[in-house]
Amino acid sequence: ETLIALLPIAIALSYLPFFFVLQPYAVSRLQNLVWNHTASQHVGFESRLRASSLAWRMLKNFFFMVITLGLYRPFAVVHTTRLRLESTQVLVQGDVNQWLDTRSATQAEAAGDAAGDVLGIDIGL
């Protein structure tokens, strides 16, 4: 009877390695893979997100969410996103001011932005 009562706790504890070890490792490797291979002719990205940093942040966020009964969740999302963004660099070749001068000289079109709004397409982090 006591063993059956402890079964849900044992199952819940068996998921902890996934959340605090495997998930941060997979997320950090995927982010590094995607951003390190994203480049155009003049712009590239470099991501150096460490699994240990992400795991520590997730553990800290989990602790605060348990203490605040979930009220810390928005702050946890912001802190995790900040960690992911701070580990990413934009690598630029050439003069950015020249790009801005060229862009302002041409007429801007909003057709692509409007099509994205109509189709509900949003590309983000």
Side-chain angles (χ1 to χ4, degrees):
E1 203 170 288
T2 308
L3 192 58
I4 293 174
L6 293 177
L7 186 62
I9 295 172
I11 292 172
L13 290 176
S14 70
Y15 280 105
L16 289 180
F18 171 76
F19 288 116
F20 298 118
V21 177
L22 297 176
Q23 185 181 9
Y25 178 79
V27 168
S28 66
R29 296 301 163 236
L30 183 62
Q31 175 174 325
N32 291 341
L33 178 69
V34 168
W35 286 112
N36 288 336
H37 290 87
T38 301
S40 69
Q41 185 177 3
H42 298 289
V43 179
F45 298 92
E46 181 181 23
S47 177
R48 293 187 178 190
L49 181 61
R50 295 179 34 200
S52 59
S53 300
L54 188 57
W56 174 249
R57 182 64 49 99
M58 291 176 75
L59 186 64
K60 180 177 145 186
N61 289 341
F62 178 76
F63 174 74
F64 284 122
M65 280 193 287
V66 167
I67 289 179
T68 63
L69 302 175
L71 294 175
Y72 188 75
R73 172 86 173 124
F75 300 100
V77 171
V78 168
H79 289 143
T80 303
T81 304
R82 179 183 298 154
L83 175 69
R84 294 178 67 183
L85 286 173
E86 287 176 348
S87 67
T88 306
Q89 286 184 320
V90 179
L91 307 172
V92 180
Q93 295 177 0
D95 185 21
V96 178
N97 292 326
Q98 183 181 4
W99 299 351
L100 296 174
D101 293 340
T102 305
R103 179 67 182 144
S104 64
T106 62
Q107 182 178 358
E109 293 185 24
D113 189 38
D117 289 343
V118 169
L119 297 174
I121 298 171
D122 185 22
I123 299 175
L125 179 67

